[in-house]
Amino acid sequence: MKNINIGLIGLGTIGTGVVKLLRQNEELIAQKLGAKLVLKKIADINITTPRGVKINKNLLTTNAREIINDKDIPIIIELMGGYEPARTFILEAIARGKHVVTANKALLATYGNEIFPAAQMQAVDIGFEASVGGTIPIIKTLKESLAANKINSIMGIMNGTCNFILTKMTDEGKMFDVVLKEAQKLGFAEADPTFDIEGIDTAHKMAIILSLAYGKKVNLKDIYLEGITKIGREDIAFARELGYRIKLLAIAMLKNDAVEARIHPTMIPSGHLLANVNQNYNAFHIVGDASGPVFLFGQGAGMMPTASAVFSDIIDSARNILKGVTGRVPLRSISETAMTQIKLIPMDNIETKYYFRFSALDHPGVLSKISGILGENNISIATCIQKARGEGLAVPIVMTTYKAQEKNVRRALKKIDKLDMVQDNTILIRIEDELN
Ligand code: HSE
């Protein structure tokens, strides 16, 4: 049986998972591939810390270039994360004609427009299944399984940390900070957890997903982004009363030849599949024009689930090597030379339903004042809840709306928040309840 060498750069959690999974399923992988994968070298800046897996010392190096420059290693696995030197290492590997497998979402979201064309020029693969949704085969689904579809919409729960926090706040009434610490301890929060809770990690993943779904280039900064830090326990309770659960959703909607791309906390009907994706699980609800709804669910992070996705790419590249083919599936759905810039719809122009939580003094006329401003701005109220605390005291007034335009909502809230009888800035959460 033929051997195919692989080299690993980065022996952190996922890197260790790659070593473990190869040990665990070496024979099964060899049977499926018809060749043996041999882990020839592993590079990490720290090769002394025990990783819970036995590794022959001769395999370890602190110099990644021993792998990149090794002519006998055709597949490089980059699992070090971060921008540099990961970007340089990947570009060097591409220049040497090596296939690259990476889980580096931040790098691909930021430098994808440099890395993918370089790889296509060199006719090498960039495998990045592990970069979005951990073990979930979302990349293959968009690039291959749904290739004949116009993608009408994608709704994704793409960050396990946020989903874990929102689940624990909803089901166990826990405080935000306490649950964030738990997520950090469990090891799925980013090194800098603001990447998770401010939605930046989701934006990285969304940029990758958009480029595959629409075969277009995407600028990360053009994706509308709100994290979960403003969600209070009272919003979660009101959501429940209204029949919703709150999730941090990444939403892409095709509108003619333009796309709405937004990430924000969203109220969704509590019976919907996405509302029932809890703990640190990720999920994708995709609607293709031919396929109709497709739902993918699984672990969005973690050592072995992510290593599973890494291996799907290693095996793909190894199969290409065995057949002597490259470029059969374009790296980002369509040829890099055919990719144009995505047309994103400005956030001001989107239309959706809204939940508002006003913090107002319980005075005569307050409701009519607020509803008057909403009416002037073409915003129609669907429901209103006020929990009385006593005349003259601050109370939460909750309203949901029919579909309204974001621009009008912003203008109305600006005016409402300036009213003397309104105490704090209004909390706004978008509602999506017309899901397939
Ligand atoms: N911090 C990420 C999450 C890890 O919580 O989902 C996986 O990308």
Side-chain angles (χ1 to χ4, degrees):
M1 192 180 262
K2 198 178 159 155
N3 283 354
I4 296 180
N5 291 329
I6 57 178
L8 171 62
I9 305 176
L11 189 57
T13 306
I14 309 171
T16 305
V18 165
V19 178
K20 280 191 178 170
L21 188 51
L22 187 56
R23 296 262 165 87
Q24 193 174 306
N25 291 344
E26 194 165 13
E27 267 184 37
L28 180 145
I29 293 169
Q31 271 175 6
K32 289 191 176 172
L33 184 58
K36 191 169 176 238
L37 291 175
V38 178
L39 186 51
K40 195 176 172 214
K41 206 96 212 163
I42 301 169
D44 197 283
I45 41 169
N46 173 358
I47 54 172
T48 52
T49 301
R51 311 282 179 167
V53 58
K54 264 199 184 158
I55 299 173
N56 182 334
K57 276 205 180 105
N58 296 332
L59 293 187
L60 294 169
T61 175
T62 52
N63 180 6
R65 291 203 168 85
E66 274 185 37
I67 296 176
I68 297 165
N69 295 331
D70 187 329
K71 289 198 173 61
D72 292 330
I73 301 182
I75 303 173
I76 307 268
I77 307 149
E78 181 279 308
L79 295 174
M80 59 189 304
Y83 298 112
E84 284 295 353
R87 173 182 155 273
T88 302
F89 288 165
I90 287 178
L91 290 171
E92 284 180 14
I94 291 169
R96 281 162 184 69
K98 292 172 190 300
H99 300 300
V100 175
V101 175
T102 179
N104 199 330
K105 55 218 159 162
L107 182 71
L108 293 182
T110 313
Y111 295 104
N113 293 335
E114 178 186 22
I115 291 169
F116 287 107
Q120 184 172 302
M121 284 277 286
Q122 287 294 325
V124 296
D125 301 332
I126 303 285
F128 52 107
E129 189 64 75
S131 65
V132 182
T135 205
I136 303 173
I138 179 66
I139 304 291
K140 246 196 184 131
T141 299
L142 290 173
K143 271 175 37 167
E144 299 184 45
S145 317
L146 297 179
N149 284 261
K150 214 183 245 176
I151 303 297
N152 288 333
S153 66
I154 302 176
M155 303 227 174
I157 296 175
M158 305 190 194
N159 184 273
T161 302
C162 287
N163 205 33
F164 183 78
I165 293 172
L166 291 172
T167 302
K168 294 268 175 185
M169 285 174 75
T170 305
D171 294 343
E172 296 171 29
K174 287 195 172 169
M175 300 287 285
F176 186 99
D177 293 347
V178 174
V179 195
L180 173 59
K181 284 210 179 84
E182 260 182 68
Q184 285 176 290
K185 255 199 222 143
L186 289 168
F188 41 82
E190 296 299 300
D192 175 356
T194 55
F195 270 55
D196 295 301
I197 59 178
E198 298 295 358
I200 301 160
D201 176 75
T202 304
H204 289 149
K205 293 165 179 167
M206 180 67 156
I208 296 171
I209 290 300
L210 286 171
S211 69
L212 303 181
Y214 301 107
K216 299 278 184 192
K217 292 182 186 176
V218 179
N219 288 334
L220 187 58
K221 62 170 177 41
D222 295 339
I223 299 171
Y224 180 80
L225 175 59
E226 261 176 46
I228 61 165
T229 50
K230 290 197 189 106
I231 304 292
R233 285 199 293 180
E234 53 275 65
D235 300 310
I236 287 172
F238 279 121
R240 184 179 289 125
E241 194 170 333
L242 291 160
Y244 299 122
R245 276 174 84 95
I246 302 175
K247 295 288 175 189
L248 182 71
L249 282 196
I251 299 171
M253 283 191 200
L254 183 65
K255 302 271 164 87
N256 301 315
D257 64 340
V259 180
E260 266 181 28
R262 45 192 170 100
I263 297 163
H264 49 69
T266 311
M267 288 193 184
I268 47 178
S270 55
H272 192 270
L273 280 173
L274 279 171
N276 293 286
V277 173
N278 291 320
Q279 304 295 341
N280 57 327
Y281 279 92
N282 283 197
F284 298 85
H285 182 270
I286 309 153
V287 182
D289 63 346
S291 66
V294 172
F295 191 75
L296 301 177
F297 165 89
Q299 285 285 354
M303 180 187 280
M304 299 312 279
T306 311
S308 159
V310 169
F311 266 98
S312 90
D313 288 331
I314 299 173
I315 292 168
D316 259 356
S317 286
R319 284 183 173 143
N320 286 344
I321 290 168
L322 290 170
K323 293 285 178 200
V325 294
T326 56
R328 204 181 55 80
V329 182
L331 298 170
R332 289 193 287 182
S333 295
I334 69 168
S335 169
E336 289 299 314
T337 51
M339 278 184 112
T340 52
Q341 195 66 29
I342 199 166
K343 214 195 273 177
L344 293 182
I345 297 171
M347 193 60 188
D348 264 357
N349 297 351
I350 73 141
E351 274 188 12
T352 189
K353 297 177 184 175
Y354 292 84
Y355 157 99
F356 303 134
R357 176 165 55 84
F358 304 104
S359 179
L361 296 178
D362 205 350
H363 272 320
V366 65
L367 264 181
S368 76
K369 194 87 194 157
I370 289 175
S371 53
I373 295 174
L374 293 176
E376 279 162 25
N377 285 284
N378 221 10
I379 300 162
S380 177
I381 300 162
T383 59
C384 178
I385 308 171
Q386 186 195 315
K387 307 270 182 200
R389 282 186 184 152
E391 188 146 5
L393 296 177
V395 283
I397 299 173
V398 163
M399 288 183 188
T400 64
T401 73
Y402 291 104
K403 273 197 177 166
Q405 202 173 37
E406 179 91 8
K407 177 167 51 199
N408 294 340
V409 165
R410 296 259 170 220
R411 194 185 312 115
L413 293 193
K414 211 167 164 188
K415 204 162 170 192
I416 290 169
D417 286 349
K418 280 192 189 135
L419 296 174
D420 286 343
M421 53 189 86
V422 170
Q423 298 242 297
D424 285 321
N425 284 343
T426 300
I427 298 294
L428 167 170
I429 302 176
R430 295 167 193 87
I431 300 172
E432 296 293 338
D433 61 2
E434 292 171 10
L435 307 172
N436 290 299

